[in-house]
Amino acid sequence: MSREAILKEVLKNQPALLPLPNIDILQGEYDKIEELKKWLDVLHITVHEVPDYAAIKTILKEEVPTNLRTVTTIPELSATAVLIEGIKENAHLLENVELAIIPAHFGVAENGAMWITDSLIQYRVLPFITQQLAVVVNKKDIVYNMHQAYERIAGTQYDFGVFIAGPSKTADIEQSLVLGAHGPKGMIVFLVGE
């Protein structure tokens, strides 16, 4: 049978077209914050719901040892951690950071991912070089799913952007789960707002 004859037969026997699925089917059918918290728990991420930055400062003072090198890019937390505005010329000064506290533009309820760009963190390496990572996100900035997330970032300009969904994991070696294989060993998310 010739190539043309085969292609004719294939075209004759095409299945009927089906309508595309409704991708927004879950939108509005569940509580975004509760869904996000569920996924953050699955990802081994500690979650603190707080009303404001003062509550974050209190938690950090109670839970973070004072001898840990803690940095932030959030001016409101500069009393609790070193604000890293002045070291732009030498990113190597971040090599021994124990805890980095950074903001996120928004979070995604369906998978626990946080959208972060270089405009928020100054150094692309910061969320990956630190031993522990704390991310601050406003509750009003939680979207239902990745479809909404991509709609939200469409058309924006940035040099670097990443979805972070907890410490990296691997179980390649002896089927033993290792958290923080590439990047921070642990992560905290502060959900700010009412």
Side-chain angles (χ1 to χ4, degrees), residues 143-159:
V143 298
Y144 281 101
N145 52 44
M146 289 300 290
H147 302 289
Q148 288 182 329
Y150 282 114
E151 284 174 8
R152 188 161 174 177
I153 63 177
T156 55
Q157 296 292 319
Y158 47 86
D159 291 330

Side-chain angles (χ1 to χ4, degrees), residues 1 3 19 24 32 63 78 85 99 102 107 115 129 146 149 162 171 181 192:
M1 195 175 223
R3 179 178 185 265
D24 290 328
K32 291 188 286 189
E63 295 186 9
S78 62
E85 291 180 322
L99 173 64
I102 62 174
W115 176 246
I129 199 168
M146 289 300 290
V162 63
V192 181

